[in-house]
Every structure is written in structure tokens, then in C-alpha cells.
């Protein structure tokens, strides 16, 4: 049940029995007036009037788990490329106003208390704030379930970043950046006896009106029998599904994982292989419907956001949203027949080495043409050499000097979308649509270990990219 958050100025905290002891800062000195107490039934969090973390206390035992050596700030703001710690905090009703040292930057947070968690939401931040770090509390806990108390932070929307998976932690912290919007970023601070942590996380998820919820995922995962079952990788078709059902049952499994790839369905747009599924999605849905009749679950196993080079986003006309790690400038006019691409910028950081786990491609995009190269000139005049024009089914064309030469990103032999482009959304929507139309039960986002490719991987950024 949601209740109003409880604030207290520690100058009058003595009216609440038992709080004086935990409110004492390190060294036993009297606490300064103006400190803020955020309280739930299971923990109390004290922020100093100067923005410093003062205490994070288990209500049941009175044990303070805030690590104050060295002292840390409740909040930090990135302003003009420099981190500024909170200089003052002031409570007004259910809101906290924060100022930051040596800058006019400010932020305002709304706080709501629940039984075992606090919800903090950024209401406003001044225009000079580039990033906020909030509830940045180092703990004396090791972050294990063997300890008597557990605490963690849970992001409640996509604007908010929390490092690590929700669970016992030795440090609390949430952050948000201007790029994705500071106002509206929201997170929960959870604290309770360790044995109650999963239930406390359930409460936090259930209380959120923004966080996607699954009765078999997140803190409910251990309660769902499907998550303790075994699966078999297979490519079931209308021709072999009966044999696969027989095999799965004979070994006591109840799930079939259908791994993506050209053999089954293409990564990116999820187009089914017509050799296996002549009626496309309808054929695959018929197979999954048959598995369901035998109480066998079907799992979709794509490669996250990655894009097969045979998709329409690549050929015959490449989408401008294909991610590039560097952008060069064409140094001279380029004919449709030329086998070298001269560029103004240094190619020293470029490579011809590729492989499944190598974060590199040998593919360039100029306008609507893809070009592959097999050698480089790394000294002036810089150039990509021994090129194949009109690669991957695109059309070779002439290009004028000054044109942008995009060096495409690649990982696992696949391209990927620029995360700021509409292509990224198109890939996500294609995967979601395929999941829903086929009637899959589970989703395994393989290849998320390649998410580092979403950020720039090369130093060359001429013209953007």
C-alpha cells in the first residue's frame, strides 16, 4: 500500500523514540539541523543537510549499513563535463530540492514511501545538468544473501540506469542522462531482511505503473515451474514436429528453443526460411500450436538487435540507420569502377581483420552503395583499397568528393542499427511482432554480449557518426 513519505528534520527528531542513536554521524557528534530522514517500515535513510549520506539503517535491528569512510554525497551532477557533488538538500512536503557545489545546477526529486522501498523520481533538473547520479550510497554490506540485511536499487523506467541486476548489493546508485531525459527518471530503493528481498522486489514492481511486469519473470522467476524446466534446441517444422514432440517427451523436457539464423528465421526482420516454413509465419505458428497441444513450450532465440546482411535494410538499398563506428570524407570524386576509396582522415585505426567475435567490418557505405575493402593505405594519401563495388547486392555508383564514407559496425557477422535511428525501433518491432504472431512462450535475447557495439568503437568521427 502506498503511503506518504515521512520527512523529519533531525533537530526535532527526539520526539521519535529510538531515532537519536542511529542519526548520530560518525564520531558521535550531534547531527546538524536540516538533515532529512526518509523512512519505510524496514529501513531509514538519512541525508545530511549538506547532501552527504549519513545513515542507512535496518529498522528491526538498528544496524547502520551506510559506509561513511570516505564520506559520499547523496547526489552528483555532471555539469560542463565535471562532476559536482550535492551541496545542500532541502525537504518541502514530499519533494527534495538539491543544489550542487560550485555551480548553479539544481534538481528536484519527488519521494514516495512504501513498506519496504522508497520511490524517487526526478521532477525537474536545470538545463546545465548533463547527468545525475542519485541515492549514491556505499554500504558496509558485502551484497550476499547470507547477510541479515539486503538493499538494492531498481530502475522503474527506461530513462533510469542502475548498474547490475537487482539483488543484494554493496552499493546503491541510479543515474539518468539528459540525452534520454532527466525529468521523469524513476527508481526504487529497496531495503529489508535478506530473506524478504524477493518479496520486497515484487512489491516494488507491482506498485510501479511504468515498469513492465511478468508473472514468470523478475522477482517471480523462481516461483514459476517453467523456469526450472529443460529445453531442447530444435528446428521443428510441419514435417518433423511429431518426431520432435516424441523426442522431447522421451527425455522429460517440456520446452523447445527455436534458434534464429538463416536456417530457421533471419536475424533482424525474422523472416522464416521458406524451405522449412513455406507459408512463412503461418507455418511456424502451426508448428508452435502443435507443440502447445502437447504442453510443450516454444522459445524464440534471436540475436537481440543484430541484422542479417540479407535483410531489406541492407540490400538492395542500405538503410541510412545502419550503425557506423567512423565517418570519413571522400577525398576526390569516385567513379563507379574505381577499386580504391580515398579519404581525408587517417585510416590508422582501421583494420581488415574480421571474425565472429571481432568488432569490425570491412564494409563502407557511401549513399546507397555498400563497398567492401581488403586492404588499406594507412599513410597519406589515405585510402581503403582492393575494394569490391556494389557489395551485398547494392548498386555501384559515382560519388562526389566530400561525400560521407561510413564505416559500418559489425559483430557476429551481422550489422546493427544506430541506436538513435528509426531502424533500431524497426528491428525491435519486427522481433516483437514475430514473437506475438507465432505464439512463442519465452524469449532468449542471445547476443546481448555484443551490446558494446552500440557505442563508437573507433576514434575517427569526421562529419559525425
Amino acid at each position: 500500500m502506498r503511503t506518504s513519505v515521512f520527512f523529519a528534520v533531525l533537530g526535532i527528531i527526539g520526539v521519535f523514540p529510538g531515532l537519536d542513536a542511529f542519526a548520530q554521524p560518525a564520531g558521535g557528534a550531534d547531527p546538524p539541523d536540516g538533515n532529512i530522514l526518509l523512512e519505510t517500515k524496514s529501513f531509514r535513510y538519512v541525508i545530511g543537510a549538506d547532501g552527504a549520506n549519513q545513515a542507512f539503517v535496518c529498522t528491526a535491528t538498528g544496524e547502520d549499513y551506510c559506509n561513511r569512510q570516505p564520506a559520499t554525497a547523496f547526489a552528483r551532477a555532471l555539469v560542463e563535463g565535471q562532476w559536482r557533488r550535492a551541496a545542500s538538500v532541502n525537504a518541502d512536503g514530499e519533494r527534495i530540492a538539491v543544489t550542487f557545489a560550485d555551480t548553479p545546477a539544481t534538481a528536484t526529486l519527488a519521494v514516495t514511501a512504501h513498506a519496504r522501498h522508497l520511490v524517487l523520481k526526478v521532477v525537474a533538473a536545470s538545463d546545465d545538468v548533463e547527468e545525475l547520479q542519485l541515492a549514491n550510497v556505499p554500504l558496509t554490506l558485502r551484497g550476499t544473501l547470507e547477510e541479515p540485511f539486503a538493499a538494492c536499487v531498481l530502475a522503474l523506467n527506461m530513462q533510469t540506469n542502475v548498474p547490475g541486476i537487482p539483488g543484494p548489493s554493496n552499493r546503491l546508485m541510479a543515474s539518468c542522462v539528459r540525452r534520454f531525459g532527466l525529468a521523469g527518471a524513476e527508481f526504487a530503493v529497496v531495503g529489508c531482511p535478506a530473506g524478504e528481498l524477493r518479496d520486497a522486489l515484487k512489491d516494488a514492481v507491482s506498485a510501479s505503473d511504468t515498469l513492465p511486469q511478468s508473472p514468470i519473470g523478475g522477482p517471480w522467476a523462481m516461483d514459476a515451474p517453467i523456469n526450472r524446466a529443460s529445453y531442447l534446441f530444435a528446428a521443428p517444422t510441419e514435417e518433423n514436429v511429431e518426431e520432435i514432440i516424441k523426442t522431447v517427451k522421451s527425455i522429460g523436457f517440456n520446452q523447445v528453443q527455436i534458434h534464429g539464423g538463416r536456417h530457421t528465421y533471419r536475424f533482424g526482420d525474422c523472416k522464416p526460411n521458406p524451405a522449412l516454413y513455406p507459408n512463412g509465419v503461418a507455418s511456424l505458428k502451426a508448428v508452435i500450436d502443435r507443440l502447445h497441444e502437447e504442453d510443450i513450450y516454444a522459445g524464440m532465440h534471436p540475436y537481440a538487435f543484430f541484422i542479417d546482411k540479407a535483410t531489406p535494410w541492407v540490400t538492395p538499398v542500405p538503410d541510412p540507420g545502419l550503425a557506423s563506428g567512423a565517418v570519413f570524407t571522400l577525398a576526390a570524386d569516385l567513379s563507379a569502377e574505381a577499386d580504391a576509396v580515398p579519404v581525408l582522415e587517417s585510416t590508422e585505426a582501421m583494420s581488415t581483420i574480421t571474425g565472429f567475435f571481432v568488432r569490425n567490418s570491412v564494409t563502407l557505405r557511401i549513399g546507397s552503395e555498400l563497398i567492401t575493402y581488403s586492404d588499406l593505405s594507412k599513410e597519406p594519401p589515405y585510402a581503403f583499397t582492393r575494394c569490391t563495388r556494389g557489395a551485398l547486392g547494392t548498386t555501384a555508383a559515382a560519388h562526389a568528393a566530400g561525400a560521407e564514407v561510413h564505416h559500418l559496425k559489425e559483430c557476429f557477422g551481422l550489422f546493427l542499427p544506430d541506436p538513435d535511428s528509426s531502424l533500431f525501433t524497426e528491428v525491435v518491432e519486427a522481433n516483437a511482432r514475430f514473437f506475438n504472431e507465432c505464439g512463442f512462450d519465452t524469449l532468449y535475447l542471445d547476443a546481448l554480449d555484443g551490446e558494446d557495439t552500440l557505442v563508437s568503437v573507433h576514434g575517427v568521427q569526421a562529419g559525425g557518426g
Side-chain angles (χ1 to χ4, degrees), residues 182-395:
L182 298 170
E186 189 175 17
F187 60 95
V189 178
V190 182
C192 60
E196 299 177 14
L197 182 59
R198 217 157 44 87
D199 287 337
L201 286 170
K202 291 178 186 178
D203 292 343
V205 173
S206 298
S208 172
D209 55 7
T210 57
L211 194 66
Q213 301 178 25
S214 167
I216 60 173
W220 289 272
M222 292 180 66
D223 302 328
I226 187 176
N227 294 326
R228 295 191 295 275
S230 299
Y231 59 80
L232 182 73
F233 277 106
T237 67
E238 292 174 285
E239 295 180 351
N240 69 11
V241 66
E242 300 303 326
E243 179 182 354
I244 288 176
I245 289 171
K246 182 179 179 180
T247 299
V248 169
K249 288 191 169 185
S250 71
I251 56 178
F253 289 8
N254 70 347
Q255 299 181 50
V256 172
Q257 281 286 319
I258 305 177
H259 200 296
R262 293 189 185 183
H263 181 63
T264 50
Y265 52 90
R266 205 159 52 194
F267 292 134
D269 64 353
C270 299
K271 179 183 178 181
N273 180 354
L276 294 185
Y277 308 105
N279 295 317
V281 168
S283 291
L284 189 50
K285 183 179 186 306
V287 169
I288 292 175
D289 287 346
R290 179 69 189 105
L291 294 175
H292 288 166
E293 289 174 358
E294 299 295 332
D295 294 325
I296 297 173
Y297 298 101
M300 179 179 168
H301 203 106
Y303 259 26
F305 47 78
F306 287 99
I307 300 172
D308 191 288
K309 295 177 181 179
T311 64
W313 293 313
V314 176
T315 183
V317 179
D319 193 294
L322 290 171
S324 55
V327 184
F328 297 82
T329 306
L330 193 60
D333 290 346
L334 185 69
S335 71
E337 297 77 26
D339 65 354
V341 178
V343 293
L344 295 178
E345 297 80 17
S346 172
T347 58
E348 179 61 31
M350 297 297 104
S351 170
T352 59
I353 299 173
T354 60
F356 188 78
F357 292 109
V358 179
R359 271 68 165 161
N360 183 54
S361 83
V362 291
T363 306
L364 309 174
R365 181 181 68 81
I366 308 178
S368 296
E369 179 187 1
L370 295 181
I371 302 168
T372 58
Y373 62 91
S374 55
D375 207 348
L376 291 159
S377 174
K378 293 192 174 186
E379 297 181 356
Y382 301 111
F384 297 90
T385 60
R386 295 175 59 194
C387 294
T388 299
R389 304 296 301 278
L392 297 173
T394 63
T395 301

Side-chain angles (χ1 to χ4, degrees), residues 141-150 167-170 194:
L141 295 164
R142 298 189 308 277
T144 69
L145 285 172
E146 287 69 37
E147 294 173 289
F149 190 81
S169 176
N170 62 8

Side-chain angles (χ1 to χ4, degrees), residues 18-213:
L19 296 189
D20 286 312
F22 94 84
Q24 299 289 341
D30 291 335
D33 291 349
N35 287 11
I36 293 174
L37 169 65
L38 308 182
E39 184 174 43
T40 72
K41 292 182 178 179
S42 58
F43 71 91
R44 302 165 184 146
Y45 176 26
V46 181
I47 306 167
D50 60 353
N53 293 306
Q54 292 290 342
F56 196 92
V57 177
C58 171
T59 302
T61 65
E63 181 75 19
D64 183 2
Y65 293 105
C66 179
N67 187 347
R68 291 184 295 273
Q69 299 298 328
T72 55
F74 152 75
R76 297 201 307 164
L78 186 65
V79 180
E80 296 182 347
Q82 294 189 350
W83 283 106
R84 306 293 187 180
R85 59 161 288 152
S88 70
V89 294
N90 180 59
D92 181 10
E94 295 186 354
R95 297 194 172 189
I96 298 177
V98 188
T99 67
F100 298 91
D102 303 318
T103 175
T106 61
T108 303
L109 310 177
V111 189
T112 306
H114 298 252
R116 290 177 288 200
H117 72 279
L118 297 168
V119 173
L120 286 82
K121 182 176 183 178
V122 179
V123 176
S126 54
D127 292 340
D128 50 354
V129 176
E130 302 161 33
E131 180 176 352
L132 283 173
Q133 288 183 351
L134 301 165
N136 183 25
V137 188
L139 303 172
T140 57
L141 295 164
R142 298 189 308 277
T144 69
L145 285 172
E146 287 69 37
E147 294 173 289
F149 190 81
C152 68
V153 174
L154 174 69
L156 297 180
N157 58 27
M158 294 296 288
Q159 289 174 245
T160 312
N161 180 50
V162 172
I165 298 171
S169 176
N170 62 8
R171 189 182 191 100
L172 310 179
M173 199 268 284
S175 65
C176 53
V177 296
R178 186 168 61 195
R179 176 183 176 188
F180 298 124
L182 298 170
E186 189 175 17
F187 60 95
V189 178
V190 182
C192 60
E196 299 177 14
L197 182 59
R198 217 157 44 87
D199 287 337
L201 286 170
K202 291 178 186 178
D203 292 343
V205 173
S206 298
S208 172
D209 55 7
T210 57
L211 194 66
Q213 301 178 25

